[in-house]
Amino acid sequence: MIVKTKNYKLDKKVYIRLAFRRVMRNQGWIAAAIAFLLCLGYIWVPSIWWFIGAFAGLGLYMLFWWVQFYGVTQLDQGKILFEKFSYEISSQQIIMKKNPREGMPLKWDQIKSATIGKDYFVLFINKAQLIHLPFRIFNTDNERKFLASVLKTKGLVKSA
């Protein structure tokens, strides 16, 4: 089965939100652990500055990643993420099509992981690249179910 979607353009705010949430979910525990360890400095030298430093560091860590993803939206190399594409999805590959004659194939082994939200699919290629597929771009409910089954079969998303 080949699923053909409607044209879709990824919004820059949606990209920043999804990518930032993904990094915080995967790496946020590191920053939280470091902030906690800094707060333990209070045991040796009681001072409020341990807590201020810990939360300032945590805020700077989060700001660093937000700036990284915001920067992707401004660079010429990142412009391709925000162009209008239609997708042809099969169990072998995904073809991202600009128009009926121009397309870029993407094999399933290039996808690192996927997430199924309440009204979208997100396919993560790496930390900075993702494919956002809202349910509204699919023509039928069966096409969405097919993509969900392919994602589960490929081991990209955990079965619910």
Side-chain angles (χ1 to χ4, degrees), residues 3 8 42 87 92 129 134 139 146-147 149-150:
V3 174
Y8 175 69
Y42 184 82
Y87 300 91
Q92 287 81 31
Q129 294 177 330
N139 296 315
F146 172 75
L147 179 56
S149 70
V150 168

Side-chain angles (χ1 to χ4, degrees), residues 2-153:
I2 295 178
V3 174
K4 294 183 180 184
T5 67
K6 301 172 189 169
N7 285 339
Y8 175 69
K9 179 180 176 182
L10 177 61
D11 183 46
K12 292 178 180 182
K13 290 180 182 178
V14 171
Y15 165 78
I16 293 169
R17 181 177 45 98
L18 290 170
F20 182 74
R21 185 181 301 161
R22 164 79 175 194
V23 166
M24 287 299 113
R25 190 173 292 143
N26 288 343
Q27 296 180 348
W29 68 272
I30 296 169
I34 291 171
F36 178 73
L37 291 174
L38 279 173
C39 289
L40 288 178
Y42 184 82
I43 294 171
W44 290 283
V45 180
S47 174
I48 190 77
W49 289 105
W50 289 106
F51 299 105
I52 293 171
F55 289 112
L58 187 61
L60 288 172
Y61 179 80
M62 293 171 66
L63 180 65
F64 168 79
W65 280 110
W66 185 86
V67 167
Q68 294 296 313
F69 296 126
Y70 181 79
V72 168
T73 66
Q74 304 303 313
L75 293 174
D76 288 336
Q77 296 92 336
K79 295 291 184 203
I80 193 166
L81 288 171
F82 308 106
E83 292 181 11
K84 196 170 232 181
F85 289 106
S86 65
Y87 300 91
E88 288 185 11
I89 303 167
S90 69
S91 59
Q92 287 81 31
Q93 67 184 0
I94 300 170
I95 300 175
M96 299 171 63
K97 290 190 161 196
K98 276 185 160 180
N99 58 46
R101 284 182 266 151
E102 291 181 62
M104 179 180 73
L106 190 65
K107 297 285 184 193
W108 283 108
D109 60 355
Q110 292 176 283
I111 307 294
K112 303 294 182 220
S113 65
T115 303
I116 301 175
K118 67 178 183 176
D119 62 346
Y120 61 86
F121 296 103
V122 181
L123 310 175
F124 294 98
I125 300 166
N126 58 37
K127 283 183 188 174
Q129 294 177 330
L130 58 88
I131 298 173
H132 179 252
L133 302 170
F135 288 171
R136 63 182 157 78
I137 68 170
F138 293 95
N139 296 315
T140 65
D141 194 40
N142 286 336
E143 292 178 347
R144 285 185 279 176
K145 290 178 183 176
F146 172 75
L147 179 56
S149 70
V150 168
L151 292 174
K152 289 175 186 173
T153 303

